[in-house]
Short mmCIF file of all heavy atoms in Angstrom, two decimals:
data_model
loop_
_atom_site.label_atom_id
_atom_site.label_comp_id
_atom_site.label_asym_id
_atom_site.label_seq_id
_atom_site.Cartn_x
_atom_site.Cartn_y
_atom_site.Cartn_z
N LYS A 9 -11.81 -35.60 -6.36
CA LYS A 9 -10.76 -35.10 -7.25
C LYS A 9 -9.58 -36.05 -7.15
O LYS A 9 -9.07 -36.32 -6.06
CB LYS A 9 -10.33 -33.71 -6.79
CG LYS A 9 -8.96 -33.26 -7.28
CD LYS A 9 -9.00 -32.74 -8.69
CE LYS A 9 -7.63 -32.24 -9.15
NZ LYS A 9 -7.65 -31.76 -10.52
N VAL A 10 -9.20 -36.59 -8.28
CA VAL A 10 -7.98 -37.40 -8.34
C VAL A 10 -7.02 -36.66 -9.27
O VAL A 10 -7.37 -36.32 -10.39
CB VAL A 10 -8.27 -38.82 -8.89
CG1 VAL A 10 -6.99 -39.66 -8.90
CG2 VAL A 10 -9.35 -39.52 -8.07
N TYR A 11 -5.83 -36.36 -8.76
CA TYR A 11 -4.83 -35.68 -9.60
C TYR A 11 -4.29 -36.64 -10.64
O TYR A 11 -4.33 -37.86 -10.44
CB TYR A 11 -3.71 -35.11 -8.72
CG TYR A 11 -4.13 -33.83 -8.03
CD1 TYR A 11 -4.55 -33.84 -6.70
CD2 TYR A 11 -4.13 -32.62 -8.71
CE1 TYR A 11 -4.96 -32.66 -6.07
CE2 TYR A 11 -4.54 -31.44 -8.10
CZ TYR A 11 -4.95 -31.47 -6.79
OH TYR A 11 -5.35 -30.31 -6.19
N PRO A 12 -3.75 -36.11 -11.73
CA PRO A 12 -3.24 -36.97 -12.81
C PRO A 12 -2.23 -38.02 -12.32
O PRO A 12 -2.15 -39.10 -12.90
CB PRO A 12 -2.57 -35.98 -13.77
CG PRO A 12 -3.27 -34.69 -13.53
CD PRO A 12 -3.64 -34.68 -12.08
N ASN A 13 -1.51 -37.71 -11.25
CA ASN A 13 -0.53 -38.68 -10.75
C ASN A 13 -1.16 -39.71 -9.80
O ASN A 13 -0.45 -40.50 -9.18
CB ASN A 13 0.63 -37.96 -10.06
CG ASN A 13 0.20 -37.24 -8.79
OD1 ASN A 13 -0.97 -37.29 -8.38
ND2 ASN A 13 1.14 -36.57 -8.15
N GLY A 14 -2.48 -39.67 -9.66
CA GLY A 14 -3.17 -40.66 -8.84
C GLY A 14 -3.48 -40.22 -7.42
O GLY A 14 -4.22 -40.90 -6.70
N THR A 15 -2.94 -39.08 -7.00
CA THR A 15 -3.23 -38.60 -5.64
C THR A 15 -4.70 -38.22 -5.51
O THR A 15 -5.23 -37.51 -6.36
CB THR A 15 -2.39 -37.34 -5.31
OG1 THR A 15 -1.02 -37.63 -5.55
CG2 THR A 15 -2.57 -36.91 -3.87
N GLN A 16 -5.33 -38.70 -4.45
CA GLN A 16 -6.73 -38.34 -4.22
C GLN A 16 -6.78 -37.02 -3.45
O GLN A 16 -6.41 -36.96 -2.28
CB GLN A 16 -7.42 -39.45 -3.43
CG GLN A 16 -8.89 -39.18 -3.18
CD GLN A 16 -9.80 -40.14 -3.93
OE1 GLN A 16 -9.49 -41.30 -4.09
NE2 GLN A 16 -10.95 -39.66 -4.35
N GLY A 17 -7.18 -35.96 -4.13
CA GLY A 17 -7.26 -34.64 -3.50
C GLY A 17 -8.50 -34.49 -2.64
O GLY A 17 -8.44 -33.97 -1.53
N LEU A 18 -9.64 -34.94 -3.17
CA LEU A 18 -10.91 -34.87 -2.44
C LEU A 18 -11.63 -36.19 -2.63
O LEU A 18 -11.58 -36.80 -3.70
CB LEU A 18 -11.80 -33.74 -2.99
CG LEU A 18 -11.31 -32.31 -2.84
CD1 LEU A 18 -12.27 -31.34 -3.54
CD2 LEU A 18 -11.14 -31.90 -1.38
N VAL A 34 -10.13 -26.45 8.10
CA VAL A 34 -8.87 -26.75 8.78
C VAL A 34 -8.40 -28.15 8.40
O VAL A 34 -9.19 -28.99 7.96
CB VAL A 34 -8.99 -26.64 10.33
CG1 VAL A 34 -9.30 -25.21 10.75
CG2 VAL A 34 -10.03 -27.60 10.87
N GLY A 35 -7.13 -28.38 8.61
CA GLY A 35 -6.55 -29.68 8.28
C GLY A 35 -5.05 -29.51 8.12
O GLY A 35 -4.57 -28.41 7.85
N LEU A 36 -4.36 -30.61 8.26
CA LEU A 36 -2.91 -30.57 8.12
C LEU A 36 -2.55 -30.31 6.67
O LEU A 36 -3.39 -30.41 5.77
CB LEU A 36 -2.30 -31.90 8.58
CG LEU A 36 -2.61 -32.29 10.03
CD1 LEU A 36 -2.06 -33.68 10.33
CD2 LEU A 36 -2.01 -31.26 10.98
N SER A 37 -1.29 -29.99 6.44
CA SER A 37 -0.80 -29.79 5.08
C SER A 37 -1.07 -31.06 4.27
O SER A 37 -0.81 -32.17 4.74
CB SER A 37 0.69 -29.48 5.14
OG SER A 37 1.19 -29.39 3.85
N GLY A 38 -1.64 -30.90 3.08
CA GLY A 38 -1.94 -32.05 2.23
C GLY A 38 -3.32 -32.65 2.46
O GLY A 38 -3.70 -33.62 1.80
N ALA A 39 -4.11 -32.05 3.36
CA ALA A 39 -5.42 -32.61 3.70
C ALA A 39 -6.45 -32.39 2.59
O ALA A 39 -7.48 -33.07 2.54
CB ALA A 39 -5.94 -31.99 5.00
N GLY A 40 -6.18 -31.40 1.72
CA GLY A 40 -7.12 -31.15 0.62
C GLY A 40 -7.79 -29.79 0.69
O GLY A 40 -8.69 -29.49 -0.11
N LYS A 41 -7.35 -28.94 1.61
CA LYS A 41 -7.99 -27.63 1.80
C LYS A 41 -7.93 -26.78 0.52
O LYS A 41 -8.94 -26.22 0.10
CB LYS A 41 -7.28 -26.84 2.92
CG LYS A 41 -7.26 -27.56 4.26
CD LYS A 41 -6.63 -26.71 5.35
CE LYS A 41 -5.15 -26.41 5.16
NZ LYS A 41 -4.29 -27.62 5.21
N SER A 42 -6.76 -26.71 -0.05
CA SER A 42 -6.58 -25.88 -1.24
C SER A 42 -7.37 -26.46 -2.42
O SER A 42 -7.99 -25.71 -3.19
CB SER A 42 -5.09 -25.80 -1.54
OG SER A 42 -4.87 -24.99 -2.62
N THR A 43 -7.35 -27.76 -2.55
CA THR A 43 -8.11 -28.41 -3.62
C THR A 43 -9.60 -28.11 -3.46
O THR A 43 -10.29 -27.78 -4.43
CB THR A 43 -7.87 -29.93 -3.60
OG1 THR A 43 -6.47 -30.18 -3.61
CG2 THR A 43 -8.51 -30.62 -4.79
N PHE A 44 -10.07 -28.18 -2.22
CA PHE A 44 -11.48 -27.88 -1.91
C PHE A 44 -11.83 -26.47 -2.37
O PHE A 44 -12.77 -26.26 -3.13
CB PHE A 44 -11.70 -28.03 -0.39
CG PHE A 44 -13.10 -27.76 0.08
CD1 PHE A 44 -14.01 -28.80 0.23
CD2 PHE A 44 -13.51 -26.47 0.38
CE1 PHE A 44 -15.31 -28.55 0.67
CE2 PHE A 44 -14.81 -26.21 0.81
CZ PHE A 44 -15.70 -27.25 0.96
N HIS A 52 -9.16 -25.46 -10.02
CA HIS A 52 -8.92 -26.90 -10.16
C HIS A 52 -10.19 -27.54 -10.69
O HIS A 52 -11.28 -27.17 -10.26
CB HIS A 52 -8.61 -27.56 -8.81
CG HIS A 52 -7.21 -27.36 -8.35
ND1 HIS A 52 -6.15 -27.22 -9.20
CD2 HIS A 52 -6.70 -27.30 -7.11
CE1 HIS A 52 -5.04 -27.07 -8.50
NE2 HIS A 52 -5.34 -27.10 -7.21
N ASP A 170 -7.34 -18.63 0.51
CA ASP A 170 -6.50 -19.83 0.64
C ASP A 170 -5.26 -19.49 1.48
O ASP A 170 -4.33 -18.89 0.99
CB ASP A 170 -6.09 -20.32 -0.75
CG ASP A 170 -5.56 -21.74 -0.72
OD1 ASP A 170 -5.47 -22.34 0.36
OD2 ASP A 170 -5.22 -22.26 -1.81
N GLU A 171 -5.29 -19.88 2.74
CA GLU A 171 -4.19 -19.58 3.69
C GLU A 171 -3.80 -18.10 3.65
O GLU A 171 -2.63 -17.75 3.46
CB GLU A 171 -2.96 -20.44 3.36
CG GLU A 171 -3.19 -21.94 3.45
CD GLU A 171 -3.07 -22.48 4.88
OE1 GLU A 171 -2.83 -21.69 5.82
OE2 GLU A 171 -3.22 -23.71 5.05
N ASN A 202 -9.22 -21.06 4.30
CA ASN A 202 -8.36 -22.17 4.69
C ASN A 202 -7.35 -21.71 5.72
O ASN A 202 -6.68 -20.70 5.50
CB ASN A 202 -7.55 -22.67 3.49
CG ASN A 202 -8.36 -23.49 2.55
OD1 ASN A 202 -9.49 -23.85 2.85
ND2 ASN A 202 -7.80 -23.79 1.39
N LEU A 219 -10.75 -31.30 7.31
CA LEU A 219 -10.42 -32.25 6.24
C LEU A 219 -9.23 -33.10 6.66
O LEU A 219 -8.33 -32.63 7.35
CB LEU A 219 -10.07 -31.51 4.95
CG LEU A 219 -11.18 -30.77 4.18
CD1 LEU A 219 -10.59 -30.13 2.93
CD2 LEU A 219 -12.32 -31.70 3.82
N GLY A 222 -8.38 -35.70 2.20
CA GLY A 222 -9.41 -35.43 1.21
C GLY A 222 -10.84 -35.70 1.65
O GLY A 222 -11.77 -35.56 0.87
P1 ADP B 301 -3.78 -28.62 1.59
O1 ADP B 301 -4.26 -27.35 0.95
O2 ADP B 301 -4.66 -29.07 2.71
O3 ADP B 301 -2.35 -28.55 2.00
P2 ADP B 301 -3.94 -29.72 -1.09
O4 ADP B 301 -5.34 -29.54 -1.51
O5 ADP B 301 -2.93 -28.77 -1.59
O6 ADP B 301 -3.89 -29.79 0.51
O7 ADP B 301 -3.45 -31.19 -1.49
C1 ADP B 301 -4.23 -32.35 -1.27
C2 ADP B 301 -3.44 -33.55 -1.79
O8 ADP B 301 -3.33 -33.49 -3.19
C3 ADP B 301 -2.01 -33.63 -1.28
O9 ADP B 301 -1.68 -34.98 -1.14
C4 ADP B 301 -1.21 -32.96 -2.37
O10 ADP B 301 0.13 -33.39 -2.39
C5 ADP B 301 -1.96 -33.40 -3.59
N1 ADP B 301 -1.88 -32.43 -4.69
C6 ADP B 301 -2.18 -31.12 -4.67
N2 ADP B 301 -2.03 -30.54 -5.86
C7 ADP B 301 -1.62 -31.55 -6.68
C8 ADP B 301 -1.29 -31.64 -8.06
N3 ADP B 301 -1.39 -30.58 -8.86
N4 ADP B 301 -0.92 -32.83 -8.56
C9 ADP B 301 -0.84 -33.92 -7.77
N5 ADP B 301 -1.14 -33.91 -6.46
C10 ADP B 301 -1.53 -32.75 -5.93
#
Side-chain angles (χ1 to χ4, degrees):
K9 159 81 177 179
V10 182
Y11 282 99
N13 66 2
T15 306
Q16 182 112 35
L18 295 176
V34 296
L36 301 175
S37 176
K41 302 184 294 296
S42 182
T43 308
F44 180 94
H52 280 330
D170 196 358
E171 299 277 2
N202 284 350
L219 291 180

